[in-house]
Amino acid sequence: MFDFAVFGSLFLTLFVIMDPPGITPIFLALTSGRPAKVQRRMAWQAAAVAFGVITVFGICGQQILDYLHITTPALMIAGGLLLLLIALDLLTGKSEEPTQTKDVNVALVPLGMPLLAGPGAIVSVILAVQHADSAGAQISVWAAIAAMHVVLWLVMRYSLLIIRVIKDGGVVLVTRLAGMMLSALAVQQIINGITQVIEAR
């Protein structure tokens, strides 16, 4: 039987961690200057990549981390460093790359992972799957994961309308703001990882 409590709890947790409203300016900054068709494709590619990563870790994430001897704090620090590199490019305006290279990279990194399917979301899903001790709970967990990624796709897909309103000057401003937000998020993620390492000793 479908467990609405499990569904609601995981959906809200993922909503806070993955932050669909907060992803909007970053998505706009990373996809500006491309044809609308390419931007729409990148929106669903990023959501699909994030869903794929989350699914893999939901099914066998703990085994993967144990096999590679990777701790959660290490995952958080690595993700934070990767996000910080992207944020610095946005802040300094050095994100202009050849279109084809960037088309692939933006959908996979940083949008799909680690921005959407980051350490926080991965750990939350691993724990939710482990604690789902019935068929109904498992269905509720995976329904919450699927629903969250549909929301992410819709937010990115329709955020493209904003580009038509704010024009090129607005896109530059959004890019700088997104870089600042992303750098703060990256630093916070690194701090959280280091804090967990210290507390574990």
Side-chain angles (χ1 to χ4, degrees):
M1 187 174 178
F2 194 84
D3 192 329
F4 285 97
V6 171
F7 175 89
S9 175
L10 181 58
F11 183 85
L12 287 175
T13 299
L14 290 178
F15 191 92
V16 171
I17 293 172
M18 300 176 104
D19 190 18
I23 202 69
T24 300
I26 297 171
F27 178 77
L28 293 176
L30 292 171
T31 61
S32 63
R34 291 177 174 74
K37 183 179 178 181
V38 173
Q39 292 172 322
R40 287 194 294 269
R41 187 176 75 237
M42 293 172 78
W44 75 256
Q45 280 180 337
V49 167
F51 181 74
V53 171
I54 290 292
T55 299
V56 169
F57 276 94
I59 295 171
C60 52
Q62 194 58 58
Q63 292 86 341
I64 293 173
L65 294 180
D66 291 343
Y67 178 76
L68 296 174
H69 305 291
I70 296 174
T71 62
T72 303
L75 195 63
M76 295 180 73
I77 294 170
L81 290 172
L82 182 56
L83 288 180
L84 190 58
L85 290 174
I86 303 296
L88 291 174
D89 278 347
L90 292 177
L91 279 169
T92 57
K94 293 179 181 176
S95 57
E96 310 299 330
E97 298 176 23
T99 303
Q100 291 198 340
T101 304
K102 204 175 173 189
D103 280 353
V104 176
N105 287 344
V106 169
L108 300 178
V109 178
L111 283 175
M113 184 178 182
L115 204 51
L116 297 179
I122 288 172
V123 171
S124 297
V125 167
I126 290 174
L127 293 176
V129 171
Q130 288 176 348
H131 293 156
D133 51 6
S134 68
Q138 286 286 344
I139 291 171
S140 303
V141 164
W142 290 105
I145 293 169
M148 185 67 250
H149 285 83
V150 170
V151 170
L152 286 168
W153 170 71
L154 288 172
V155 167
M156 289 186 290
R157 168 68 176 79
Y158 289 102
S159 67
L160 299 176
L161 297 174
I162 299 173
I163 289 181
R164 299 173 191 170
V165 176
I166 63 178
K167 307 298 183 184
D168 290 343
V171 168
V172 172
L173 177 61
V174 167
T175 300
R176 298 298 182 267
L177 288 174
M180 195 160 56
M181 289 166 51
L182 193 57
S183 62
L185 179 66
V187 170
Q188 186 61 56
Q189 194 164 292
I190 294 170
I191 291 172
N192 291 345
I194 294 173
T195 301
Q196 288 189 25
V197 171
I198 294 172
E199 289 176 349
R201 293 184 178 277

